[in-house]
Amino acid sequence: MTQLEESIGKHMQTLWDYQDEQNRQESEENSAQKDLAKEEAIEKERQEVLDNVSSFIVDTVRDKTAWILNHYPEARDSDITLQLKYWETFESDIYNGHSITKEDYYKLTPLTTLVRARAKIQNEYKLFLAKPEVRERRGTLSEEEKQKALQDKPNYPVFTVYMDDSGKNADFLIIGSVWFLAEYRSVYSAIHKIKEERGYKKEFHFKELDRDSLPVYKEVVDVFWQYANTVSFKLISVPRSGIGKVRDAFTDMYYHLIVQGITHEHSTGRAPLPRSLQVWIDSEETNLDKLLVANLNDRLSQAAQTHFERRLAHDHVYTVDSAKNLILQIADMFTGSVNRILNRAGTTRNHKDELAEYFLNRFNINLQLPENDKVGDISVHISL
């Protein structure tokens, strides 16, 4: 081989190596793009499940399965329990908790269908997870999770809390919350019935309230009053003066309201510990929501172990769109009512003042609290 041929060969090899490297990089980029697209699709589906479950929109097997897993923690660990709860809840015209005929069995949703839905919800969406030992048996517990899975989470009764904030640009920062101490489908159904009977198509939001819709809003307040033994409204406020970062203040307020609310329910005997906790917050700004949720989950998990001496099993804090969530809209209505009173400007009254006063008076909520009802300079207003 001549020197020229050798030189050409080396040059060609360099070109081939360069092309191979380019192809490799392009392949890695395409793979990364595909992985990112897949992750984004899964996250979109995950959020859709959360929105639907929290809004009682359960039109598919996936969402019905998620609803059962959310409301019956024991179903997260047992597919047979999941199947029976699913049948009892969504196919009660065929299965009512007793024996069934062979013909009826074929009409019911099969176990294999529910297992596939459950696996997707738990394994892909990472929602409503089974206990660590169950996940290890199913082969879905990572090594990192095995190290963290030191505490068992029993299937306690649940605090379900819906929360909203207000007053970002007013004198007082406010967070209002609706607490359910038991299963609350009946409350949701009663409100939905009012909307249908009155032909009310709009969402419930305090700022959208007009004179014509005031009677419907009052009827909704009355529905909650009928279920006062299992429902409560709690709020927290702090003067905005001197606060540099409002969002950080809201994070602290969410935490203190939840902790004080649990303490209140336990001390009054209405909902004594041990119990589980699940929190739903109106989503606003995606990045801030993620930070808020991460901070709250961390602090509440610590409080469950220390402040509540492991008698509280913290499930999770979720953010969902209130446009799709009737109960979060009620939290908005309550928080807006409090904001109307605490941050009232001028002496002119209208329909919004009327609703605010009606709401707070209905539940005997007094916004003027003594000094011992405070955490630092944060007022915790709690009333049944």
Side-chain angles (χ1 to χ4, degrees):
M1 178 182 296
T2 67
Q3 186 175 2
L4 177 61
E5 289 174 332
E6 183 178 353
S7 176
I8 293 173
K10 290 181 178 179
H11 179 69
M12 292 302 296
Q13 185 62 51
T14 301
L15 289 176
W16 291 333
D17 290 344
Y18 175 78
Q19 187 62 51
D20 288 343
E21 178 63 20
Q22 289 293 102
N23 291 338
R24 185 188 65 78
Q25 291 181 5
E26 183 177 342
S27 177
E28 289 181 352
E29 289 175 1
N30 290 338
S31 178
Q33 290 175 356
K34 289 180 181 179
D35 290 342
L36 179 60
K38 183 178 180 180
E39 291 176 5
E40 290 176 346
I42 290 175
E43 179 58 30
K44 181 179 179 180
E45 292 176 12
R46 180 183 187 274
Q47 191 60 48
E48 185 180 70
V49 169
L50 288 174
D51 286 339
N52 290 347
V53 167
S54 66
S55 308
F56 291 86
I57 301 174
V58 285
D59 300 327
T60 66
V61 171
R62 181 199 68 178
D63 292 344
K64 290 176 181 177
T65 303
W67 195 93
I68 295 296
L69 294 174
N70 180 42
H71 288 84
Y72 299 99
E74 62 271 23
R76 305 173 187 180
D77 304 329
S78 167
D79 289 330
I80 298 300
T81 301
L82 167 63
Q83 181 183 44
L84 295 176
K85 290 294 185 183
Y86 187 100
W87 288 352
E88 290 174 4
T89 304
F90 299 112
E91 299 173 350
S92 58
D93 56 325
I94 302 174
Y95 177 72
N96 59 4
H98 299 90
S99 60
I100 55 176
T101 65
K102 183 187 298 185
E103 291 75 15
D104 283 341
Y105 181 80
Y106 285 102
K107 299 176 184 177
L108 295 164
T109 302
L111 180 62
T112 52
T113 299
L114 299 178
V115 170
R116 283 196 298 270
R118 187 270 302 159
K120 191 175 186 68
I121 292 164
Q122 292 184 328
N123 301 341
E124 290 191 24
Y125 305 151
K126 306 301 181 184
L127 294 174
F128 317 127
L129 300 179
K131 293 178 181 177
E133 62 267 27
V134 175
R135 292 159 61 196
E136 185 169 18
R137 187 171 69 246
R138 290 171 175 169
T140 60
L141 190 67
S142 69
E143 287 301 319
E144 181 181 357
E145 290 171 321
K146 289 177 183 178
Q147 296 301 317
K148 292 181 179 180
L150 302 176
Q151 299 297 331
D152 187 19
K153 291 185 178 181
N155 296 322
Y156 295 143
V158 182
F159 286 120
T160 306
V161 187
Y162 289 82
M163 312 183 79
D164 193 21
D165 56 56
S166 183
K168 296 180 180 64
N169 300 309
D171 292 336
F172 286 91
L173 304 179
I174 300 163
I175 294 176
S177 58
V178 187
W179 291 60
F180 293 95
L181 312 181
E183 203 280 320
Y184 53 97
R185 275 183 297 170
S186 53
V187 177
Y188 180 90
S189 298
I191 298 172
H192 191 67
K193 182 179 180 182
I194 289 175
K195 292 191 68 173
E196 287 187 337
E197 291 178 346
R198 301 294 178 269
Y200 190 79
K201 305 295 184 181
K202 297 186 292 185
E203 299 171 20
F204 291 111
H205 289 295
F206 189 86
K207 66 179 182 180
E208 306 297 334
L209 173 66
D210 54 34
R211 173 60 63 180
D212 293 336
S213 58
L214 179 60
V216 180
Y217 276 61
K218 285 186 174 181
E219 283 190 74
V220 170
V221 174
D222 292 339
V223 165
F224 279 92
W225 174 249
Q226 295 171 16
Y227 291 92
N229 60 325
T230 58
V231 178
S232 63
F233 291 92
K234 309 181 194 300
L235 67 107
I236 189 169
S237 69
V238 61
R240 190 172 62 87
S241 176
I243 292 179
K245 296 183 179 180
V246 170
R247 200 65 188 177
D248 290 346
F250 272 133
T251 300
D252 290 339
M253 292 168 68
Y254 275 112
Y255 172 77
H256 283 299
L257 179 55
I258 292 169
V259 169
Q260 292 296 314
I262 294 170
T263 302
H264 172 259
E265 295 293 353
H266 174 72
S267 64
T268 59
R270 274 170 46 96
L273 298 174
R275 292 180 80 93
S276 295
L277 171 69
Q278 187 176 93
V279 180
W280 301 86
I281 298 176
D282 185 17
S283 59
E284 294 181 355
E285 300 176 61
T286 303
N287 291 332
L288 289 176
D289 288 339
K290 290 180 179 179
L291 183 59
L292 170 65
V293 167
N295 288 337
L296 277 179
N297 277 322
D298 183 58
R299 295 177 68 178
L300 290 172
S301 294
Q302 293 182 38
Q305 299 298 311
T306 57
H307 186 86
F308 295 108
E309 301 175 338
R310 299 182 182 178
R311 292 178 297 167
L312 179 70
H314 172 52
D315 186 343
H316 206 70
V317 177
Y318 300 105
T319 58
V320 291
D321 185 359
S322 64
K324 304 176 182 178
N325 192 297
L326 185 56
I327 306 301
L328 271 177
Q329 292 171 29
I330 307 307
D332 172 275
M333 186 196 308
F334 171 58
T335 307
S337 295
V338 175
N339 181 63
R340 187 72 176 185
I341 301 300
L342 280 183
N343 291 313
R344 179 177 289 172
T347 58
T348 303
R349 295 182 75 260
N350 61 20
H351 49 278
K352 291 187 176 180
D353 297 282
E354 185 175 343
L355 175 66
E357 293 168 1
Y358 185 84
F359 205 141
L360 300 185
N361 289 337
R362 198 77 167 99
F363 288 89
N364 194 31
I365 296 173
N366 180 12
L367 300 184
Q368 302 300 319
L369 294 179
E371 191 66 28
N372 59 4
D373 283 326
K374 294 190 175 184
V375 180
D377 62 343
I378 301 177
S379 301
V380 180
H381 313 249
I382 295 177
S383 181
L384 302 182

